[in-house]
Amino acid sequence: QVQLVESGGGLVQAGGSLRLSCTASGRTFSSYTMGWFRQGPGKERAIVAVVRWTGGITNYADSVKGRFTISRDNAKNTVYLQMNNQKPEDTACYSCAASEYLTTTRPSDFGSWGQGTQVTVSS
């Protein structure tokens, strides 16, 4: 297991930007696929973006493609989510998670989760 702590959430106006960070401790961070998920009011948890532990390959939900960027710095044990041109529908609690699977976007494949950070986008 790896311990995860998110930061960087807050209130932003539509069209604005935020960057979320997730710092890991515990087992070797670089061997995990890292993902960002979100859960909006009355909605199920959904994948936002994933970055593999090797090769830096990324996957994005269609709703955030071209606006959000996931990246990782293995030297700092940190994964980032840069969110640009935000929309009110991006309002959600964002959580980072770690998976030992190389290629997955299923929440059930992620064994370690952070506590979440709230992002609110006002119109």
Side-chain angles (χ1 to χ4, degrees):
Q1 294 291 328
V2 61
Q3 290 74 47
L4 305 171
V5 178
E6 303 98 334
S7 61
L11 175 65
V12 64
Q13 289 187 333
S17 298
L18 280 175
R19 188 176 79 157
L20 305 182
S21 300
C22 173
T23 301
S25 61
R27 295 182 62 184
T28 305
F29 172 77
S30 60
S31 64
Y32 287 89
T33 289
M34 299 299 298
W36 284 99
F37 294 80
R38 67 186 182 186
Q39 186 167 15
K43 298 181 180 179
E44 294 187 354
R45 178 182 284 169
I47 185 71
V48 176
V50 172
V51 57
R52 295 185 190 181
W53 63 268
T54 181
I57 297 173
T58 58
N59 289 304
Y60 295 92
D62 289 342
S63 59
V64 306
K65 284 181 180 177
R67 299 188 299 120
F68 290 13
T69 302
I70 188 171
S71 61
R72 65 190 297 162
D73 185 337
N74 288 340
K76 295 182 178 180
N77 288 352
T78 301
V79 61
Y80 305 97
L81 184 68
Q82 178 66 45
M83 304 183 291
N84 297 330
N85 189 23
Q86 290 191 262
K87 303 176 180 180
E89 52 264 42
D90 294 327
T91 295
C93 181
Y94 285 71
S95 300
C96 71
S99 174
E100 296 182 351
Y101 291 87
L102 179 59
T103 58
T104 183
T105 59
R106 297 185 304 182
S108 59
D109 287 338
F110 288 76
S112 299
W113 291 83
Q115 81 287 352
T117 185
Q118 180 66 35
V119 172
T120 302
V121 184
S122 63
S123 56

